[in-house]
Amino acid sequence: MAKFVLAGKTDCPYYAKAELLADTLQQCLPDFKIHKISILPDEWKEWLGATCEKNNWKHEGSPLVWRELVEQGGKGMLLGGFNDFLEHCQDYYGITSDMTTNVMLSVAAENLEAKMNLIKEEQHRASLIQPLHVWITGLHLLDLEGNKEQLQSLRLEIEELAISMLHQVTTGTDLERAFRKADVILLLDDGGHDGENEGEEVKKKKVKVISERYKEYGQLIDATAKETVKVIVSGDSFLNLRCSLLVDSARSIDSHQFIAAAAQLENEAKAVLGKKMRMRPSDITDVIVWGNISGTFYIDLQRAKVFNHDGPITGPAFFSQPLLSIFLDRKWLETDFQHLVRRRRLAVTSKTGQAAATSAANGILTVLKAWNGASDPDVLSSGVACPGHYSLPDGIVFSVPLTFTDGKWSVVSELTVENELKYRLELSASELQQEKQFGSDSGTTE
């Protein structure tokens, strides 16, 4: 295959003549390919100099023609200017150009006008784009441990996804630069896991580190992020506490703009139910997570629905049935089911030797889609500051069922809270208040 590159000033009549000749050859010869580069007149000299220096060529004037040697890795072989290109076409292909001077000038003027219009269109399109700045601790990637090599590897992985809407990925280990102009902030695990069997002193020490760091995060978000920023806290450790510390520290930002993601836990509950009921987890909806997402939580199925259930009552794909009307083993739901959900992520981690990153990423994506109006789940559990709802105390972030409309969330308020559920909510609230107290008392902890 013969691949040629034709570059020239947009107002150059000889570039126009070479362009017409190249078009003729490309129409007549299936193996002849031409790539055109139009350069504005005031940019031509600089562009030509840089191109010749890069390829070790010597050339003056417009146009510039070279052949790409595809079979040699794309190396360029200089042909020269218009006369050189014309001579090559005559010798190798028996084709010449009979364009008159007037036509050359006319085409050159059209080329310049077309190029200017294209530039204006691109500038207008660029003016309509509002870049979305996404900060991820742990797009702008931030790692306070200073592991630049890992950050660079992650940056390359993200770039290699070739996402059409991704403009740039930056990395950093400097907290002072964090969260500037952020539209979205994703805070991943930032401390040890809050294990169930840890002693109180160990937990206090962990909360001390987290409290100091997240108070600083909140202050930076308050000072440098956009007023409309959306903050999502995710991971396995102290989700509600971390989110609550951000809400307290970023005082000028609405508390409705902070969420602790419980979608991963919801999906893990659906997976346990799906295995037990021999159905796809995706056919189970409206599972509710109450409480402390990474601590004492409760999975509530009072609104849960199932689709495509293989039972005595069937219907079309959109037909659903209440889960509790199908699954009658209430004892299992209140005991083994809750325990299995609590242990499922630990089982995955123990087998793989690393955190359940895929399900965590899917949980974050679920929240982002709902919060930005890309999906409309009936109910999505999330940790939020919601004083006054379900008699929950002030000053904590609690996982409750939410609905999302037009980029805003609201708490589902018409649920039944019987004595048993009320008791479980009180347990979770008490645990979260204790975590906050550990943080406020941590200055005396050695």
Side-chain angles (χ1 to χ4, degrees):
M1 176 181 289
K3 181 179 178 181
F4 290 85
V5 180
L6 169 62
K9 293 193 296 181
T10 49
D11 63 348
C12 173
Y14 288 99
Y15 172 65
K17 194 169 185 178
E19 186 181 20
L20 181 62
L21 178 58
D23 289 343
T24 302
L25 284 167
Q26 192 162 239
Q27 291 172 4
C28 298
L29 303 171
D31 290 334
F32 183 95
K33 300 297 179 184
I34 186 72
H35 175 64
K36 303 172 190 174
I37 304 175
S38 300
I39 308 296
L40 291 174
D42 57 352
E43 298 174 1
W44 171 253
K45 187 175 181 180
E46 182 180 353
W47 182 91
L48 179 64
T51 303
C52 289
E53 182 179 356
K54 176 183 175 182
N55 294 281
N56 198 25
W57 294 337
K58 290 184 179 181
H59 182 78
E60 296 180 359
S62 170
L64 171 69
V65 187
W66 71 89
R67 182 174 178 182
E68 294 281 358
L69 302 177
V70 179
E71 69 280 0
Q72 297 182 25
K75 181 180 178 182
M77 183 183 74
L78 178 66
L79 285 183
F82 171 73
N83 290 332
D84 302 293
F85 181 53
L86 179 63
E87 183 178 341
H88 181 84
C89 294
Q90 289 172 338
D91 292 344
Y92 280 85
Y93 307 112
I95 295 178
T96 188
S97 174
D98 56 359
M99 182 185 286
T100 65
T101 301
N102 288 338
V103 174
M104 288 167 57
L105 293 172
S106 175
V107 173
E110 290 176 2
N111 282 341
L112 179 59
E113 183 180 1
K115 182 69 174 180
M116 295 303 297
N117 289 337
L118 181 61
I119 290 173
K120 288 179 182 178
E121 184 179 334
E122 289 176 349
Q123 290 174 341
H124 175 67
R125 189 160 54 241
S127 70
L128 299 177
I129 297 173
Q130 298 181 355
L132 188 69
H133 292 271
V134 180
W135 280 86
I136 306 176
T137 62
L139 260 165
H140 306 281
L141 304 174
L142 174 68
D143 187 345
L144 298 185
E145 302 303 322
N147 195 332
K148 294 183 179 180
E149 187 174 335
Q150 269 194 346
L151 279 179
Q152 291 301 326
S153 297
L154 181 57
R155 179 182 65 81
L156 290 173
E157 278 192 61
I158 295 172
E159 289 175 341
E160 287 167 3
L161 292 174
I163 302 171
S164 61
M165 296 184 70
L166 179 64
H167 174 65
Q168 185 182 28
V169 180
T170 62
T171 62
T173 57
D174 179 9
L175 189 57
E176 293 301 317
R177 297 181 56 206
F179 313 135
R180 289 182 182 175
K181 298 182 180 180
D183 296 282
V184 177
I185 298 174
L186 308 179
L187 290 144
L188 310 182
D189 268 328
D190 220 347
H193 293 259
D194 41 340
E196 293 179 357
N197 300 319
E198 290 177 347
E200 186 171 299
E201 288 305 312
V202 174
K203 193 170 185 177
K204 280 185 176 181
K205 288 181 180 179
K206 289 184 177 179
V207 170
K208 174 183 177 180
V209 174
I210 288 172
S211 296
E212 290 175 351
R213 178 165 289 181
Y214 272 74
K215 287 174 183 176
E216 189 172 8
Y217 281 172
Q219 291 166 2
L220 282 168
I221 290 170
D222 193 49
T224 62
K226 292 184 178 179
E227 290 184 0
T228 56
V229 66
K230 293 179 179 178
V231 182
I232 299 175
V233 181
S234 180
D236 294 333
S237 63
F238 298 101
L239 265 70
N240 298 56
L241 173 63
R242 289 155 56 205
C243 189
S244 180
L245 291 166
L246 295 175
V247 171
D248 292 344
S249 303
R251 298 183 180 277
S252 68
I253 297 179
D254 193 325
S255 62
H256 278 64
Q257 292 164 222
F258 296 84
I259 281 181
Q264 181 181 4
L265 192 53
E266 272 192 14
N267 291 335
E268 288 163 351
K270 293 175 186 178
V272 172
L273 287 168
K275 184 176 182 181
K276 182 72 172 179
M277 300 176 70
R278 297 182 181 179
M279 6 176 354
R280 295 184 306 174
S282 59
D283 285 334
I284 302 171
T285 67
D286 297 349
V287 171
I288 297 170
V289 177
W290 295 97
N292 189 356
I293 300 164
S294 49
T296 300
F297 60 81
Y298 176 69
I299 307 298
D300 182 4
L301 303 175
Q302 64 174 288
R303 282 189 52 154
K305 295 180 291 191
V306 296
F307 294 79
N308 302 312
H309 180 251
D310 185 14
I313 301 176
T314 59
F318 59 82
F319 173 72
S320 67
Q321 302 174 73
L323 184 145
L324 293 179
S325 69
I326 297 172
F327 196 99
L328 302 179
D329 189 349
R330 297 291 191 274
K331 183 178 180 181
W332 183 87
L333 290 176
E334 293 299 325
T335 55
D336 292 354
F337 168 60
Q338 303 287 335
H339 177 76
L340 288 169
V341 174
R342 191 173 305 279
R343 296 294 176 185
R344 183 174 179 84
R345 196 177 310 176
L346 293 175
V348 172
T349 303
S350 64
K351 288 182 179 180
T352 62
Q354 57 187 11
T358 303
S359 59
N362 185 57
I364 293 171
L365 187 60
T366 300
V367 176
L368 281 171
K369 284 182 175 179
W371 211 352
N372 287 281
S375 67
D376 186 21
D378 289 343
V379 173
L380 179 63
S381 303
S382 300
V384 295
C386 52
H389 289 276
Y390 299 105
S391 301
L392 295 172
D394 293 353
I396 61 172
V397 164
F398 203 89
S399 181
V400 293
L402 304 178
T403 56
F404 289 80
T405 306
D406 298 329
K408 296 182 179 180
W409 59 260
S410 57
V411 179
V412 177
S413 57
E414 70 275 11
L415 293 172
T416 301
V417 180
E418 297 179 345
N419 289 337
E420 179 63 25
L421 178 55
K422 183 178 180 181
Y423 171 70
R424 292 178 184 274
L425 299 189
E426 290 173 351
L427 281 180
S428 294
S430 176
E431 181 181 64
L432 289 167
Q433 287 177 314
Q434 184 186 55
E435 289 180 357
K436 287 288 288 284
Q437 187 63 40
F438 285 164
S440 62
D441 295 343
S442 61
T444 60
T445 304
E446 296 296 333

